[in-house]
Amino acid sequence: MSQKHLKEAFISNLNGTSLLEISVGLSLAPLCLLCRGLLLILYYLHYGKPLSSRKYSLLLDFLVLVSPLLFSCTVLSPVIFFMPTIIAAFCAGVFSKIYSQRKHETRVPFRQIVKDFQETYLDPEYIPAITVFRVYVNVLTSISILAVDFPQYPRRYAKAETYGTGVMDFGVGAFIFGNALVCPEVRQKSYVTQPKFSNLARQFFSIWPLIFLGVGRLLSVKSIEYHEHTSEYGVHWNFFFTLAFVRLAASLLLAIFPKNHSWIVAINLAVLYQLILNTTSLKTFILHGSNGRDARDGFLNANREGLLSLFGYLAIYMASVQVGLCLLKCRNSVKGWIEAVCFLLLTVLVLFVFLHVSQAYADPVSRRMANLSYGIWVVAHCLTFFICFVVTDLMLVFTKLLVKGSSVPCCWNVVKPPHTSTKHEMEAVPIRREAKLSHICLISAINKNQLLFFLLANVMTGTVNILIDTIHSKTAFTLCILHLYMFFNCLIMYILHAKNIVLKFW
Protein backbone atom coordinates (compact mmCIF):
# COMPACT_ATOMS: atom_id res chain seq x y z
CA MET A 1 0.00 0.00 0.00
CA SER A 2 1.11 3.56 -0.69
CA GLN A 3 1.74 6.00 2.17
CA LYS A 4 -1.51 7.79 1.26
CA HIS A 5 -3.59 4.61 1.48
CA LEU A 6 -1.85 3.55 4.71
CA LYS A 7 -2.78 6.83 6.39
CA GLU A 8 -6.35 6.63 5.11
CA ALA A 9 -6.69 3.10 6.51
CA PHE A 10 -5.18 4.29 9.80
CA ILE A 11 -8.08 6.68 10.42
CA SER A 12 -10.89 4.56 8.93
CA ASN A 13 -13.32 1.91 10.24
CA LEU A 14 -13.21 3.06 13.88
CA ASN A 15 -15.95 2.80 16.51
CA GLY A 16 -15.28 5.54 19.09
CA THR A 17 -15.19 5.29 22.86
CA SER A 18 -17.62 5.49 25.80
CA LEU A 19 -19.57 8.56 26.87
CA LEU A 20 -17.97 8.28 30.31
CA GLU A 21 -14.42 8.47 28.97
CA ILE A 22 -15.26 11.54 26.91
CA SER A 23 -16.84 13.21 29.96
CA VAL A 24 -13.76 12.46 32.06
CA GLY A 25 -11.50 13.80 29.35
CA LEU A 26 -13.50 17.02 29.04
CA SER A 27 -13.11 17.69 32.77
CA LEU A 28 -9.35 18.10 32.32
CA ALA A 29 -9.53 21.49 30.57
CA PRO A 30 -11.52 23.24 33.37
CA LEU A 31 -9.21 21.68 35.96
CA CYS A 32 -6.15 22.96 34.08
CA LEU A 33 -7.74 26.42 33.96
CA LEU A 34 -8.41 26.28 37.71
CA CYS A 35 -4.84 25.15 38.38
CA ARG A 36 -3.38 28.03 36.37
CA GLY A 37 -5.62 30.57 38.13
CA LEU A 38 -4.71 29.32 41.60
CA LEU A 39 -1.00 29.38 40.75
CA LEU A 40 -1.28 33.02 39.63
CA ILE A 41 -3.10 33.96 42.84
CA LEU A 42 -0.48 32.12 44.91
CA TYR A 43 2.26 34.00 43.04
CA TYR A 44 0.55 37.29 43.88
CA LEU A 45 0.19 36.27 47.51
CA HIS A 46 3.93 35.59 47.77
CA TYR A 47 5.33 38.49 45.76
CA GLY A 48 2.62 41.13 46.15
CA LYS A 49 2.33 41.69 42.40
CA PRO A 50 0.92 39.78 39.43
CA LEU A 51 3.12 37.77 37.11
CA SER A 52 4.10 40.42 34.57
CA SER A 53 6.80 38.69 32.51
CA ARG A 54 5.40 37.87 29.09
CA LYS A 55 7.91 35.10 28.57
CA TYR A 56 7.09 33.29 31.80
CA SER A 57 3.35 33.91 31.41
CA LEU A 58 3.34 32.26 27.99
CA LEU A 59 5.39 29.36 29.34
CA LEU A 60 3.06 28.92 32.32
CA ASP A 61 -0.05 29.07 30.16
CA PHE A 62 1.29 26.56 27.67
CA LEU A 63 2.58 24.10 30.27
CA VAL A 64 -0.59 24.23 32.38
CA LEU A 65 -3.36 24.89 29.86
CA VAL A 66 -2.17 23.00 26.76
CA SER A 67 0.50 20.44 27.56
CA PRO A 68 -1.59 18.29 29.97
CA LEU A 69 -4.27 17.92 27.30
CA LEU A 70 -1.67 16.83 24.79
CA PHE A 71 -0.34 14.17 27.16
CA SER A 72 -3.86 13.04 28.07
CA CYS A 73 -4.71 12.08 24.49
CA THR A 74 -1.41 10.29 23.86
CA VAL A 75 0.83 8.57 26.44
CA LEU A 76 -1.45 9.20 29.44
CA SER A 77 -4.64 8.02 27.75
CA PRO A 78 -4.46 4.59 29.51
CA VAL A 79 -4.74 6.38 32.89
CA ILE A 80 -7.18 9.09 31.75
CA PHE A 81 -9.63 8.22 34.56
CA PHE A 82 -7.02 9.05 37.22
CA MET A 83 -5.87 12.38 35.77
CA PRO A 84 -8.80 14.55 36.95
CA THR A 85 -8.30 13.27 40.49
CA ILE A 86 -4.58 14.06 40.40
CA ILE A 87 -5.07 17.59 39.03
CA ALA A 88 -7.98 18.25 41.43
CA ALA A 89 -5.83 17.14 44.38
CA PHE A 90 -3.05 19.50 43.27
CA CYS A 91 -5.55 22.36 42.98
CA ALA A 92 -6.88 21.57 46.45
CA GLY A 93 -3.33 21.73 47.81
CA VAL A 94 -2.68 25.12 46.19
CA PHE A 95 -6.01 26.50 47.47
CA SER A 96 -5.24 25.24 50.98
CA LYS A 97 -1.91 27.05 50.87
CA ILE A 98 -3.58 30.26 49.69
CA TYR A 99 -6.26 30.05 52.38
CA SER A 100 -3.79 29.39 55.18
CA GLN A 101 -1.37 32.16 54.17
CA ARG A 102 -3.84 35.05 54.00
CA LYS A 103 -3.02 38.16 55.97
CA HIS A 104 -3.78 37.44 59.62
CA GLU A 105 -5.35 40.83 60.39
CA THR A 106 -8.01 40.51 57.68
CA ARG A 107 -9.08 36.93 58.21
CA VAL A 108 -12.81 36.31 58.69
CA PRO A 109 -14.83 33.17 59.50
CA PHE A 110 -15.32 30.80 56.58
CA ARG A 111 -19.11 30.98 56.91
CA GLN A 112 -18.98 34.75 56.53
CA ILE A 113 -16.73 34.40 53.48
CA VAL A 114 -19.23 32.07 51.78
CA LYS A 115 -22.12 34.41 52.57
CA ASP A 116 -20.31 37.43 51.16
CA PHE A 117 -19.22 35.42 48.13
CA GLN A 118 -22.83 34.63 47.22
CA GLU A 119 -23.65 38.36 47.34
CA THR A 120 -20.70 39.33 45.15
CA TYR A 121 -21.54 41.20 41.95
CA LEU A 122 -19.90 40.20 38.68
CA ASP A 123 -19.34 42.05 35.43
CA PRO A 124 -22.56 41.36 33.43
CA GLU A 125 -21.00 42.48 30.14
CA TYR A 126 -18.54 39.61 29.86
CA ILE A 127 -19.01 35.88 30.47
CA PRO A 128 -15.49 34.40 30.47
CA ALA A 129 -16.75 30.81 30.30
CA ILE A 130 -18.03 31.42 26.75
CA THR A 131 -14.61 32.64 25.62
CA VAL A 132 -12.79 29.81 27.35
CA PHE A 133 -15.21 27.21 25.96
CA ARG A 134 -14.67 28.37 22.38
CA VAL A 135 -10.89 28.62 22.79
CA TYR A 136 -10.56 25.18 24.32
CA VAL A 137 -12.70 23.57 21.60
CA ASN A 138 -10.28 25.13 19.12
CA VAL A 139 -7.22 23.97 21.07
CA LEU A 140 -8.50 20.40 21.52
CA THR A 141 -9.43 20.23 17.83
CA SER A 142 -5.99 21.50 16.80
CA ILE A 143 -4.28 18.89 18.97
CA SER A 144 -6.44 16.06 17.64
CA ILE A 145 -6.21 16.79 13.90
CA LEU A 146 -2.46 16.17 13.99
CA ALA A 147 -2.23 13.71 16.88
CA VAL A 148 -4.71 11.34 15.18
CA ASP A 149 -2.09 10.57 12.51
CA PHE A 150 0.32 9.23 15.15
CA PRO A 151 0.02 5.75 16.69
CA GLN A 152 0.18 7.19 20.23
CA TYR A 153 -3.26 8.75 19.74
CA PRO A 154 -5.81 6.04 20.73
CA ARG A 155 -7.90 4.88 17.78
CA ARG A 156 -11.02 5.05 19.97
CA TYR A 157 -10.62 8.84 20.19
CA ALA A 158 -10.69 9.31 16.41
CA LYS A 159 -13.86 9.84 14.38
CA ALA A 160 -16.12 6.81 14.23
CA GLU A 161 -16.79 5.39 10.77
CA THR A 162 -20.58 5.19 10.97
CA TYR A 163 -21.84 4.81 14.55
CA GLY A 164 -19.99 5.67 17.74
CA THR A 165 -18.82 8.50 19.96
CA GLY A 166 -15.21 9.46 19.37
CA VAL A 167 -13.55 12.51 20.89
CA MET A 168 -13.14 14.00 17.42
CA ASP A 169 -16.81 13.35 16.66
CA PHE A 170 -17.66 15.56 19.60
CA GLY A 171 -15.18 18.21 18.49
CA VAL A 172 -16.98 18.78 15.20
CA GLY A 173 -20.33 19.38 16.91
CA ALA A 174 -18.74 21.50 19.64
CA PHE A 175 -17.28 23.79 16.97
CA ILE A 176 -20.80 24.39 15.63
CA PHE A 177 -22.12 24.92 19.18
CA GLY A 178 -19.37 27.43 20.03
CA ASN A 179 -19.97 29.46 16.87
CA ALA A 180 -23.68 29.75 17.63
CA LEU A 181 -23.04 31.05 21.17
CA VAL A 182 -21.56 34.28 19.79
CA CYS A 183 -23.49 34.68 16.53
CA PRO A 184 -24.88 38.18 15.76
CA GLU A 185 -28.44 37.08 16.56
CA VAL A 186 -27.35 36.18 20.09
CA ARG A 187 -25.22 39.28 20.60
CA GLN A 188 -28.03 41.36 19.06
CA LYS A 189 -25.69 43.53 17.02
CA SER A 190 -27.88 45.88 15.01
CA TYR A 191 -30.56 43.23 15.21
CA VAL A 192 -33.29 45.32 16.81
CA THR A 193 -32.95 48.52 14.80
CA GLN A 194 -32.48 46.99 11.34
CA PRO A 195 -34.68 44.65 9.27
CA LYS A 196 -34.07 40.97 9.85
CA PHE A 197 -33.20 40.21 6.25
CA SER A 198 -30.49 42.90 6.22
CA ASN A 199 -28.76 40.78 8.85
CA LEU A 200 -29.01 37.83 6.47
CA ALA A 201 -27.21 39.89 3.82
CA ARG A 202 -24.42 40.67 6.28
CA GLN A 203 -24.11 37.00 7.16
CA PHE A 204 -23.85 36.12 3.47
CA PHE A 205 -20.91 38.50 3.21
CA SER A 206 -19.28 37.28 6.43
CA ILE A 207 -19.09 33.62 5.36
CA TRP A 208 -16.93 34.25 2.30
CA PRO A 209 -13.67 33.58 4.23
CA LEU A 210 -15.01 30.11 5.12
CA ILE A 211 -15.94 29.44 1.50
CA PHE A 212 -12.51 30.65 0.43
CA LEU A 213 -10.78 28.39 2.98
CA GLY A 214 -12.95 25.45 1.95
CA VAL A 215 -12.03 25.89 -1.69
CA GLY A 216 -8.37 26.36 -0.75
CA ARG A 217 -8.36 23.16 1.27
CA LEU A 218 -10.09 21.25 -1.53
CA LEU A 219 -7.61 22.40 -4.17
CA SER A 220 -4.55 21.80 -2.00
CA VAL A 221 -5.65 18.33 -0.88
CA LYS A 222 -6.40 17.21 -4.43
CA SER A 223 -3.26 18.77 -5.95
CA ILE A 224 -0.79 17.07 -3.59
CA GLU A 225 -2.84 13.85 -3.23
CA TYR A 226 -3.05 14.31 0.53
CA HIS A 227 -4.72 11.48 2.43
CA GLU A 228 -8.40 12.06 3.24
CA HIS A 229 -11.24 10.12 4.82
CA THR A 230 -13.88 10.21 2.07
CA SER A 231 -16.76 8.95 4.21
CA GLU A 232 -16.23 11.86 6.61
CA TYR A 233 -17.73 14.59 4.39
CA GLY A 234 -17.43 13.28 0.85
CA VAL A 235 -15.09 13.75 -2.10
CA HIS A 236 -15.22 17.54 -2.42
CA TRP A 237 -16.88 18.71 0.79
CA ASN A 238 -15.04 19.71 3.99
CA PHE A 239 -15.76 21.24 7.38
CA PHE A 240 -15.19 24.82 6.22
CA PHE A 241 -18.12 24.44 3.81
CA THR A 242 -20.25 22.96 6.60
CA LEU A 243 -19.51 25.92 8.88
CA ALA A 244 -20.36 28.40 6.15
CA PHE A 245 -23.64 26.86 4.99
CA VAL A 246 -24.90 26.10 8.51
CA ARG A 247 -24.27 29.70 9.51
CA LEU A 248 -26.07 31.04 6.44
CA ALA A 249 -29.03 28.66 6.78
CA ALA A 250 -29.37 29.52 10.48
CA SER A 251 -29.46 33.24 9.69
CA LEU A 252 -32.26 32.56 7.21
CA LEU A 253 -34.26 30.59 9.80
CA LEU A 254 -33.69 33.25 12.45
CA ALA A 255 -34.94 35.88 10.01
CA ILE A 256 -38.17 33.90 9.58
CA PHE A 257 -38.80 32.53 13.09
CA PRO A 258 -38.49 34.36 16.44
CA LYS A 259 -35.03 33.74 17.81
CA ASN A 260 -36.44 33.10 21.29
CA HIS A 261 -38.12 30.01 19.82
CA SER A 262 -34.99 28.67 18.14
CA TRP A 263 -35.11 25.61 20.40
CA ILE A 264 -38.48 24.68 18.88
CA VAL A 265 -37.00 24.99 15.39
CA ALA A 266 -34.03 22.83 16.49
CA ILE A 267 -36.26 20.06 17.87
CA ASN A 268 -38.55 20.01 14.83
CA LEU A 269 -35.60 19.98 12.44
CA ALA A 270 -33.76 17.17 14.28
CA VAL A 271 -36.85 14.99 14.75
CA LEU A 272 -38.06 15.47 11.17
CA TYR A 273 -34.61 14.62 9.81
CA GLN A 274 -34.49 11.47 11.95
CA LEU A 275 -37.97 10.41 10.82
CA ILE A 276 -36.92 10.77 7.19
CA LEU A 277 -33.77 8.72 7.89
CA ASN A 278 -35.81 5.93 9.48
CA THR A 279 -38.80 5.86 7.14
CA THR A 280 -37.15 6.37 3.75
CA SER A 281 -34.07 5.12 1.94
CA LEU A 282 -32.11 8.24 2.87
CA LYS A 283 -30.03 6.43 5.49
CA THR A 284 -29.05 3.73 3.00
CA PHE A 285 -28.17 6.40 0.48
CA ILE A 286 -25.88 8.23 2.94
CA LEU A 287 -24.11 5.06 4.05
CA HIS A 288 -23.92 3.12 0.80
CA GLY A 289 -24.63 5.48 -2.09
CA SER A 290 -27.31 5.35 -4.74
CA ASN A 291 -26.33 1.89 -5.99
CA GLY A 292 -25.70 0.37 -2.56
CA ARG A 293 -22.00 -0.08 -3.37
CA ASP A 294 -20.64 3.25 -2.14
CA ALA A 295 -21.01 4.96 -5.51
CA ARG A 296 -19.40 8.39 -5.80
CA ASP A 297 -20.63 9.44 -9.23
CA GLY A 298 -22.35 12.83 -9.42
CA PHE A 299 -22.00 15.74 -6.97
CA LEU A 300 -24.72 14.61 -4.54
CA ASN A 301 -23.46 11.03 -4.47
CA ALA A 302 -19.86 12.16 -4.06
CA ASN A 303 -20.63 14.49 -1.15
CA ARG A 304 -23.73 12.94 0.38
CA GLU A 305 -22.34 12.86 3.95
CA GLY A 306 -21.37 16.53 3.97
CA LEU A 307 -24.53 17.78 2.25
CA LEU A 308 -27.15 15.78 4.16
CA SER A 309 -25.50 16.12 7.58
CA LEU A 310 -26.10 19.87 7.26
CA PHE A 311 -29.63 19.30 8.61
CA GLY A 312 -28.28 17.77 11.83
CA TYR A 313 -25.62 20.44 12.29
CA LEU A 314 -28.21 23.14 11.66
CA ALA A 315 -30.36 21.69 14.45
CA ILE A 316 -27.34 21.82 16.80
CA TYR A 317 -26.68 25.44 15.79
CA MET A 318 -30.29 26.49 16.45
CA ALA A 319 -30.29 24.79 19.84
CA SER A 320 -27.03 26.57 20.67
CA VAL A 321 -28.57 29.94 19.76
CA GLN A 322 -31.19 29.30 22.43
CA VAL A 323 -28.44 28.45 24.93
CA GLY A 324 -26.59 31.66 24.04
CA LEU A 325 -29.71 33.77 24.56
CA CYS A 326 -30.27 32.10 27.91
CA LEU A 327 -26.70 32.76 29.03
CA LEU A 328 -26.80 36.44 28.11
CA LYS A 329 -29.75 37.15 30.36
CA CYS A 330 -28.58 39.62 32.97
CA ARG A 331 -27.16 37.63 35.88
CA ASN A 332 -24.82 39.96 37.74
CA SER A 333 -24.37 38.06 40.98
CA VAL A 334 -22.70 34.85 42.06
CA LYS A 335 -26.01 33.62 43.47
CA GLY A 336 -27.70 34.19 40.10
CA TRP A 337 -25.05 32.16 38.30
CA ILE A 338 -25.27 29.34 40.83
CA GLU A 339 -29.00 29.14 40.08
CA ALA A 340 -28.20 29.17 36.34
CA VAL A 341 -25.76 26.29 36.79
CA CYS A 342 -28.41 24.27 38.59
CA PHE A 343 -30.87 24.90 35.74
CA LEU A 344 -28.28 23.88 33.14
CA LEU A 345 -27.46 20.72 35.10
CA LEU A 346 -31.15 19.78 35.10
CA THR A 347 -31.24 20.41 31.34
CA VAL A 348 -28.21 18.16 30.84
CA LEU A 349 -29.85 15.40 32.88
CA VAL A 350 -33.00 15.59 30.73
CA LEU A 351 -30.92 15.54 27.54
CA PHE A 352 -29.04 12.41 28.61
CA VAL A 353 -32.35 10.69 29.33
CA PHE A 354 -33.54 11.61 25.83
CA LEU A 355 -30.20 10.42 24.42
CA HIS A 356 -30.74 7.01 25.99
CA VAL A 357 -34.26 6.82 24.54
CA SER A 358 -33.11 8.04 21.12
CA GLN A 359 -30.31 5.50 20.90
CA ALA A 360 -32.62 2.70 21.99
CA TYR A 361 -35.58 3.46 19.73
CA ALA A 362 -34.32 5.68 16.89
CA ASP A 363 -30.65 5.31 15.99
CA PRO A 364 -27.25 5.19 17.74
CA VAL A 365 -25.06 8.29 17.64
CA SER A 366 -23.72 8.91 14.13
CA ARG A 367 -21.58 11.93 13.32
CA ARG A 368 -21.51 10.81 9.69
CA MET A 369 -25.28 11.38 9.38
CA ALA A 370 -25.53 14.00 12.19
CA ASN A 371 -28.68 12.22 13.33
CA LEU A 372 -30.96 12.98 16.29
CA SER A 373 -28.85 11.05 18.81
CA TYR A 374 -25.73 12.87 17.66
CA GLY A 375 -27.39 16.26 18.09
CA ILE A 376 -28.64 15.44 21.61
CA TRP A 377 -25.23 14.07 22.59
CA VAL A 378 -23.34 17.12 21.33
CA VAL A 379 -25.63 19.64 23.04
CA ALA A 380 -25.60 17.66 26.32
CA HIS A 381 -21.83 17.34 26.41
CA CYS A 382 -21.28 20.95 25.34
CA LEU A 383 -23.50 22.14 28.17
CA THR A 384 -21.59 19.90 30.58
CA PHE A 385 -18.29 21.31 29.30
CA PHE A 386 -19.59 24.87 29.66
CA ILE A 387 -20.93 24.26 33.18
CA CYS A 388 -17.47 23.05 34.24
CA PHE A 389 -15.97 26.34 33.05
CA VAL A 390 -18.61 28.40 34.88
CA VAL A 391 -17.93 26.49 38.12
CA THR A 392 -14.19 27.00 37.59
CA ASP A 393 -14.70 30.74 37.17
CA LEU A 394 -16.81 30.93 40.33
CA MET A 395 -14.11 29.08 42.28
CA LEU A 396 -11.49 31.53 41.03
CA VAL A 397 -13.70 34.50 41.98
CA PHE A 398 -14.02 33.03 45.47
CA THR A 399 -10.24 32.63 45.73
CA LYS A 400 -9.59 36.15 44.41
CA LEU A 401 -11.85 37.53 47.12
CA LEU A 402 -9.60 35.90 49.70
CA VAL A 403 -6.48 37.67 48.48
CA LYS A 404 -6.69 41.45 48.23
CA GLY A 405 -5.69 42.76 44.81
CA SER A 406 -5.16 39.39 43.13
CA SER A 407 -6.38 38.90 39.58
CA VAL A 408 -6.62 36.17 36.95
CA PRO A 409 -6.83 36.80 33.18
CA CYS A 410 -10.02 35.60 31.49
CA CYS A 411 -11.84 35.29 34.78
CA TRP A 412 -14.94 37.12 36.01
CA ASN A 413 -14.40 40.65 37.28
CA VAL A 414 -15.86 41.75 40.59
CA VAL A 415 -17.63 45.02 39.83
CA LYS A 416 -19.35 45.71 43.13
CA PRO A 417 -18.29 44.72 46.64
CA PRO A 418 -20.62 42.62 48.79
CA HIS A 419 -22.59 44.43 51.51
CA THR A 420 -20.44 43.60 54.51
CA SER A 421 -19.61 45.37 57.72
CA THR A 422 -16.18 46.81 58.45
CA LYS A 423 -15.62 44.15 61.04
CA HIS A 424 -16.15 41.28 58.66
CA GLU A 425 -14.96 42.87 55.43
CA MET A 426 -13.45 40.34 53.13
CA GLU A 427 -10.12 40.76 51.44
CA ALA A 428 -11.89 41.75 48.26
CA VAL A 429 -11.16 44.81 46.19
CA PRO A 430 -13.66 45.49 43.42
CA ILE A 431 -11.91 45.39 40.06
CA ARG A 432 -13.74 47.02 37.20
CA ARG A 433 -11.54 45.59 34.51
CA GLU A 434 -8.59 43.24 34.37
CA ALA A 435 -7.58 44.34 30.91
CA LYS A 436 -4.12 45.15 32.20
CA LEU A 437 -3.50 41.40 32.39
CA SER A 438 -5.12 40.48 29.09
CA HIS A 439 -1.84 40.95 27.20
CA ILE A 440 -0.28 38.06 29.09
CA CYS A 441 -3.14 35.62 28.59
CA LEU A 442 -2.86 32.84 26.00
CA ILE A 443 -6.63 32.35 26.04
CA SER A 444 -7.21 35.98 25.05
CA ALA A 445 -4.54 35.67 22.37
CA ILE A 446 -6.18 32.65 20.73
CA ASN A 447 -9.65 34.15 21.12
CA LYS A 448 -8.72 37.24 19.12
CA ASN A 449 -7.67 35.19 16.07
CA GLN A 450 -9.58 31.92 16.37
CA LEU A 451 -10.11 31.34 12.67
CA LEU A 452 -6.43 32.03 11.98
CA PHE A 453 -5.46 29.63 14.77
CA PHE A 454 -7.61 26.87 13.24
CA LEU A 455 -6.33 27.59 9.74
CA LEU A 456 -2.71 27.61 10.88
CA ALA A 457 -3.26 24.29 12.68
CA ASN A 458 -4.62 22.78 9.46
CA VAL A 459 -1.69 24.07 7.39
CA MET A 460 0.90 22.81 9.89
CA THR A 461 -0.88 19.45 10.16
CA GLY A 462 -0.60 19.02 6.40
CA THR A 463 3.03 20.09 6.41
CA VAL A 464 3.96 17.63 9.16
CA ASN A 465 2.18 14.78 7.39
CA ILE A 466 3.99 15.52 4.14
CA LEU A 467 7.42 15.68 5.79
CA ILE A 468 7.10 12.90 8.37
CA ASP A 469 6.05 9.26 8.38
CA THR A 470 3.66 9.76 11.29
CA ILE A 471 2.32 6.20 11.40
CA HIS A 472 5.69 4.70 12.41
CA SER A 473 6.85 7.50 14.76
CA LYS A 474 8.30 6.65 18.18
CA THR A 475 6.71 8.03 21.35
CA ALA A 476 9.42 10.57 22.25
CA PHE A 477 9.51 11.90 18.69
CA THR A 478 5.71 12.15 18.57
CA LEU A 479 5.52 14.13 21.81
CA CYS A 480 8.27 16.45 20.63
CA ILE A 481 6.55 17.12 17.29
CA LEU A 482 3.14 17.70 18.88
CA HIS A 483 4.55 20.09 21.49
CA LEU A 484 6.50 22.06 18.89
CA TYR A 485 3.43 22.21 16.65
CA MET A 486 1.13 23.53 19.39
CA PHE A 487 3.73 25.87 20.89
CA PHE A 488 4.52 27.43 17.51
CA ASN A 489 0.81 27.99 16.83
CA CYS A 490 0.25 29.46 20.30
CA LEU A 491 3.36 31.64 20.01
CA ILE A 492 2.12 33.21 16.78
CA MET A 493 -1.25 34.00 18.40
CA TYR A 494 0.56 35.40 21.43
CA ILE A 495 2.76 37.68 19.33
CA LEU A 496 -0.22 38.95 17.32
CA HIS A 497 -2.12 39.64 20.54
CA ALA A 498 0.85 41.46 22.09
CA LYS A 499 0.96 43.71 19.02
CA ASN A 500 -2.85 44.07 19.09
CA ILE A 501 -3.22 42.59 15.60
CA VAL A 502 -6.56 41.01 14.71
CA LEU A 503 -6.59 39.40 11.26
CA LYS A 504 -10.28 39.83 10.61
CA PHE A 505 -11.52 42.33 8.05
CA TRP A 506 -14.92 40.93 7.03
Side-chain angles (χ1 to χ4, degrees):
M1 294 176 68
S2 66
Q3 188 73 7
K4 177 179 183 290
H5 291 114
L6 280 173
K7 290 190 175 184
E8 288 174 353
F10 192 59
I11 57 175
S12 302
N13 303 313
L14 305 173
N15 299 313
T17 185
S18 66
L19 297 179
L20 178 60
E21 185 169 15
I22 293 176
S23 299
V24 170
L26 289 179
S27 69
L28 294 177
L31 285 170
C32 290
L33 188 70
L34 177 62
C35 179
R36 173 259 210 162
L38 292 175
L39 288 174
L40 289 174
I41 295 173
L42 183 63
Y43 180 92
Y44 181 89
L45 185 63
H46 275 281
Y47 296 98
K49 61 179 182 179
L51 181 61
S52 57
S53 169
R54 291 185 177 182
K55 178 174 63 176
Y56 290 122
S57 296
L58 173 62
L59 188 62
L60 174 67
D61 280 358
F62 183 80
L63 291 179
V64 179
L65 299 179
V66 179
S67 192
L69 303 179
L70 203 155
F71 279 108
S72 69
C73 66
T74 51
V75 293
L76 294 182
S77 57
V79 292
I80 188 71
F81 287 95
F82 298 101
M83 289 187 64
T85 304
I86 295 171
I87 299 176
F90 180 79
C91 290
V94 176
F95 177 80
S96 177
K97 193 172 184 65
I98 292 171
Y99 187 79
S100 63
Q101 292 188 4
R102 292 173 300 147
K103 294 181 180 179
H104 180 74
E105 63 272 14
T106 55
R107 291 183 180 180
V108 295
F110 186 79
R111 182 176 296 177
Q112 181 66 36
I113 294 174
V114 173
K115 180 182 178 181
D116 292 340
F117 167 67
Q118 292 177 341
E119 297 172 356
T120 299
Y121 284 80
L122 304 172
D123 185 357
E125 299 176 6
Y126 173 61
I127 303 174
I130 293 179
T131 298
V132 177
F133 173 92
R134 297 181 72 243
V135 167
Y136 258 116
V137 167
N138 213 330
V139 168
L140 289 167
T141 302
S142 298
I143 291 173
S144 294
I145 60 175
L146 178 58
V148 70
D149 294 315
F150 289 91
Q152 289 75 22
Y153 188 87
R155 296 300 90 195
R156 65 185 185 277
Y157 288 178
K159 289 178 181 175
E161 184 69 25
T162 301
Y163 295 105
T165 52
V167 174
M168 296 184 71
D169 293 312
F170 169 75
V172 175
F175 227 101
I176 298 289
F177 185 97
N179 278 1
L181 288 181
V182 295
C183 70
E185 292 83 1
V186 171
R187 292 177 295 169
Q188 298 181 337
K189 284 189 175 181
S190 304
Y191 198 83
V192 178
T193 58
Q194 296 187 12
K196 290 183 177 181
F197 283 96
S198 67
N199 180 67
L200 180 62
R202 288 194 302 273
Q203 284 296 307
F204 185 78
F205 176 75
S206 67
I207 66 169
W208 75 261
L210 294 171
I211 299 293
F212 178 78
L213 292 174
V215 173
R217 176 179 170 79
L218 171 63
L219 294 177
S220 60
V221 166
K222 298 301 181 184
S223 62
I224 63 176
E225 295 189 354
Y226 188 76
H227 69 277
E228 52 185 331
H229 193 190
T230 304
S231 64
E232 187 176 345
Y233 297 107
V235 177
H236 311 104
W237 202 263
N238 58 57
F239 188 57
F240 289 112
F241 291 140
T242 295
L243 285 175
F245 281 93
V246 165
R247 188 169 166 183
L248 186 61
S251 295
L252 177 61
L253 289 176
L254 291 169
I256 299 173
F257 301 101
K259 60 181 180 178
N260 288 324
H261 294 156
S262 59
W263 66 277
I264 299 177
V265 178
I267 292 174
N268 281 301
L269 190 61
V271 172
L272 179 61
Y273 177 52
Q274 185 63 54
L275 285 174
I276 295 173
L277 285 174
N278 283 2
T279 58
T280 69
S281 59
L282 184 63
K283 184 191 297 186
T284 303
F285 172 71
I286 294 175
L287 299 181
H288 306 292
S290 58
N291 65 352
R293 299 177 183 177
D294 199 25
R296 293 287 173 180
D297 53 316
F299 183 77
L300 179 59
N301 238 341
N303 303 285
R304 55 184 185 268
E305 293 91 351
L307 291 170
L308 294 171
S309 64
L310 288 174
F311 295 102
Y313 289 125
L314 182 57
I316 294 172
Y317 192 100
M318 296 299 291
S320 307
V321 167
Q322 189 70 58
V323 173
L325 292 171
C326 177
L327 295 176
L328 290 183
K329 288 181 180 178
C330 187
R331 295 186 182 91
N332 56 2
S333 69
V334 168
K335 186 176 181 180
W337 273 102
I338 292 175
E339 292 173 353
V341 165
C342 293
F343 173 76
L344 290 175
L345 282 172
L346 180 61
T347 304
V348 169
L349 180 62
V350 172
L351 285 173
F352 274 115
V353 171
F354 280 121
L355 175 60
H356 178 74
V357 173
S358 177
Q359 291 208 98
Y361 296 101
D363 224 3
V365 172
S366 173
R367 185 262 324 148
R368 186 174 176 182
M369 291 183 285
N371 59 3
L372 176 62
S373 296
Y374 177 76
I376 297 173
W377 171 56
V378 166
V379 174
H381 261 88
C382 282
L383 285 177
T384 305
F385 200 31
F386 179 80
I387 290 169
C388 290
F389 284 125
V390 173
V391 173
T392 296
D393 277 330
L394 292 176
M395 294 173 70
L396 289 175
V397 168
F398 181 83
T399 311
K400 286 195 297 180
L401 292 174
L402 297 175
V403 182
K404 182 178 179 179
S406 64
S407 189
V408 178
C410 285
C411 176
W412 253 313
N413 305 326
V414 177
V415 296
K416 185 178 178 182
H419 303 294
T420 54
S421 62
T422 306
K423 181 178 179 180
H424 294 297
E425 187 174 2
M426 290 178 61
E427 300 177 53
V429 173
I431 303 169
R432 178 60 193 166
R433 288 288 179 187
E434 296 178 4
K436 61 182 180 180
L437 287 179
S438 64
H439 70 284
I440 61 171
C441 180
L442 182 59
I443 292 173
S444 296
I446 296 174
N447 183 56
K448 276 200 170 183
N449 287 287
Q450 288 215 47
L451 184 58
L452 178 64
F453 183 83
F454 185 57
L455 174 61
L456 190 58
N458 276 269
V459 172
M460 287 195 289
T461 295
T463 304
V464 171
N465 270 280
I466 291 171
L467 298 177
I468 297 173
D469 179 13
T470 57
I471 297 179
H472 302 102
S473 297
K474 301 297 183 182
T475 300
F477 181 75
T478 297
L479 292 176
C480 182
I481 291 295
L482 291 176
H483 274 87
L484 286 174
Y485 152 78
M486 284 304 298
F487 184 78
F488 181 71
N489 203 348
C490 291
L491 179 62
I492 291 178
M493 298 303 108
Y494 192 84
I495 293 172
L496 291 175
H497 185 44
K499 295 182 179 296
N500 199 28
I501 298 174
V502 180
L503 297 179
K504 182 176 181 179
F505 46 87
W506 54 88

